[in-house]
Amino acid sequence: MPRRLLQVLLPAAIGALVIALWYGVHTWLTEDMRFLLPAPGAVLAAFRDHGSELARATLNTTEGALLGFILAVAISFAFALGLSLSPLVRVSFYPYLMILQMTPVIVFAPILVLWVGAGIKSVVVITFLICFFPLVVNTTQGLISTDRNLVELFRMYRARRLQELWLLRVPSALPYFFTGLRIAATLAPIGALVGDYTAGSSAGNGGGLGFQTIIYSSRAQYPALFATAMVTCALGFVFVAVVVSLSWLVLRHWHDSYDRADG
Amino acid sequence: MPPVVKIEDIHKIYDSGEIPVHAVRGVSLEIHHKEFLALMGASGSGKSTLMNLLGCLDRPTRGRYLLDGIDVSELEKNELADIRNQKLGFVFQGFNLLARTTALENVELPCLYGKERMTGKKMRERAMYCLEIVGLANRADHMPNQLSGGQQQRVAIARALVNQPQVLLADEPTGNLDSKTSIEVMGVFQKLNEQGITIVMVTHELDVARYCKRHLILRDGVVVRDEPTQDRSIAEIELAKLKEAETAAKLLAAGSNAH
Ligand SMILES: Nc1ncnc2c1ncn2[C@@H]1O[C@H](COP(=O)(O)OP(=O)(O)O)[C@@H](O)[C@H]1O
Ligand SMILES: [Mg+2]
């Protein structure tokens, strides 16, 4: 069989196998335990019954994730530029960045609710907090890892600090920046979800997927819970896919920075 | 004409480490217009240190340096940088080109700075002219990773020429190149030298040094020999010979295949 065909058929087969296994476990369970693992059909029905609810929640979570992510990208970039200025600046700020990173976001949630209120604002801030660290650290590393010879060349030509930054350091930091971006992209939907779970609200446009998770579990609507989990999974996937393709588009012309023959 | 470079009993002592290193110990030297000098010597003999002093990249611990009649030993850092950008061009062993930047833009790089700002058009014209000199006008919009090592070094030479320097300083410019490409690069240097540019280059390969006009040999920071090049090589002739040999080898291979 041609390889291409196998590459399509095999994953599909595995998928079918998993669903079959799922169904098998469901029927194997005794009647009173079947709520633990709803049948595939029941989950499908939940998609139909709670469709509009889930769609709205997905939209809200996407909004929170996107806003927090974009905010984190913009602010972390400016912050990294500052950190790249001197080792002294880095030494002064890194401990606090570390502390921020080490503190589980969950503990910020009640404080945030107190400060900005429950709902989208809190979700955005929590997403921001989760995305910020990998972005700052990677971008800063990129900015200070510029080829020493080139930095010396720029200094030799008496380039101004700003020219050195824009013409040399920022372009050579791009691959690092995109590494940070990929990590942040996987974290952003999770951040929005956790944020929504801990500081979400049904006010305004209604809650997001995190909020919906609480509702469904409190009402024991288990098929809907499974449906929510799947949507979440898909959302995370889309988020990463978009960012990865974006960085591929930009870095395509940059490929020599990944494997430069002359090191 | 006064010498382009005149140094008198110059010393350089590095005292950043545990024990001070006396890298250059009293070198006196005159380099005149249109000279083509090879600086040779074992590793650690002080070649790069002397080049950095000549290039105003570093200041001597002791001694006097007149560059084109100007005493640079006493200049401030900024003044030194100005003189450097006006009178000197630099070529490095590792090419030092900006990745993801076209050959033309790489050549324009030194024009972005300095006191006199040029218009974009004038800058482009000048950079293009320098690429023509090194025979790469048709590669102006190529990225460094699309060019061979020899071509990259020629772009770097064009960049060194863009501010119309009097002296070209090159530290091991053929160090990363194979022997044939080295000859091509030496050919570019010889052509530039013909056109009136003074060149000082560091090399540890005698084969490469033979393309220069004068040999200066350093040992432990002092000049131990200073003499004109004996039976000088001419790049054009050497390249023609190589080509002939290649053709002959091909013919021979074709002949033996026929049997
Ligand atoms: N920046 C520096 N600090 C301290 N010592 C140095 C420095 N640069 C070179 N040296 C020392 O000076 C001597 C000459 O070095 P260098 O000029 O680089 O020699 P070459 O280029 O001929 O190999 C060596 O002993 C080297 O270790
Ligand atoms: Mg050296």
Side-chain angles (χ1 to χ4, degrees), chain B residues 1-176:
Chain B
M1 217 193 281
V4 186
V5 166
K6 182 176 166 66
I7 52 180
E8 291 167 358
D9 193 32
I10 215 166
H11 288 257
K12 179 68 194 182
I13 302 169
Y14 292 110
D15 52 8
S16 50
E18 298 245 312
I19 33 166
V21 179
H22 205 150
V24 169
R25 312 164 174 244
V27 171
S28 297
L29 183 65
E30 280 189 11
I31 303 173
H32 289 266
H33 180 64
K34 276 194 87 168
E35 276 209 83
F36 188 175
L37 194 137
L39 208 56
M40 303 208 289
S43 169
S45 56
K47 305 182 296 290
S48 295
T49 304
L50 186 55
M51 276 301 251
N52 288 346
L53 294 174
L54 291 178
C56 303
L57 294 166
D58 207 351
R59 257 180 295 198
T61 314
R62 229 176 22 247
R64 219 156 75 102
Y65 178 11
L66 298 174
L67 174 58
D68 202 22
I70 303 164
D71 190 345
V72 296
S73 346
E74 303 295 325
L75 290 184
E76 290 287 313
K77 220 173 158 189
N78 283 347
E79 296 169 315
L80 209 57
D82 282 340
I83 292 274
R84 188 169 63 215
N85 286 344
Q86 275 168 32
K87 303 202 179 286
L88 305 173
F90 295 86
V91 178
F92 310 89
Q93 178 173 356
F95 320 146
N96 290 357
L97 298 177
L98 284 185
R100 309 174 285 274
T101 308
T102 65
L104 190 69
E105 285 164 345
N106 263 294
V107 176
E108 284 173 3
L109 203 65
C111 311
L112 286 175
Y113 322 118
K115 275 198 283 198
E116 27 142 10
R117 284 303 209 92
M118 277 185 276
T119 62
K121 186 161 168 281
K122 187 164 173 234
M123 201 159 81
R124 188 133 311 167
E125 276 169 10
R126 213 195 256 190
M128 202 63 202
Y129 173 68
C130 293
L131 276 178
E132 266 163 38
I133 294 177
V134 300
L136 284 178
N138 56 342
R139 301 294 163 90
D141 54 359
H142 282 50
M143 303 287 167
N145 63 335
Q146 297 171 312
L147 299 170
S148 71
Q151 289 170 333
Q152 288 186 44
Q153 191 58 301
R154 275 147 68 194
V155 172
I157 294 172
R159 180 179 62 192
L161 293 175
V162 82
N163 277 335
Q164 297 165 320
Q166 285 175 323
V167 186
L168 214 56
L169 299 171
D171 196 342
E172 305 258 10
T174 61
N176 287 1

Side-chain angles (χ1 to χ4, degrees), chain A residues 193-233:
Chain A
L193 210 80
V194 170
D196 196 45
Y197 190 90
T198 50
S201 147
S202 63
N205 251 341
L209 290 166
F211 193 73
Q212 226 45 54
T213 307
I214 301 177
I215 305 266
Y216 292 144
S217 82
S218 70
R219 291 189 199 145
Q221 289 171 323
Y222 299 118
L225 210 53
F226 274 78
T228 312
M230 285 179 183
V231 171
T232 309
C233 189

Side-chain angles (χ1 to χ4, degrees), chain A residues 147 149-150 153-160 163-164 167-168 171-173 175 253-257 260 262, chain B residues 57 78-79 81-82 84-85 90 92 94 96-100 109-110 112-115 117 145 152 159-160:
Chain A
D147 186 346
N149 289 318
L150 290 176
L153 187 81
F154 268 64
R155 302 245 160 110
M156 199 183 87
Y157 291 144
R158 289 191 75 186
R160 286 188 292 276
Q163 289 175 317
E164 183 183 312
L167 293 172
L168 181 63
S172 59
H253 306 294
W254 255 250
H255 68 282
D256 63 315
S257 60
R260 273 196 15 204
D262 56 281
Chain B
L57 294 166
N78 283 347
E79 296 169 315
D82 282 340
R84 188 169 63 215
N85 286 344
F90 295 86
F92 310 89
N96 290 357
L97 298 177
L98 284 185
R100 309 174 285 274
L109 203 65
L112 286 175
Y113 322 118
K115 275 198 283 198
R117 284 303 209 92
N145 63 335
Q152 288 186 44
R159 180 179 62 192

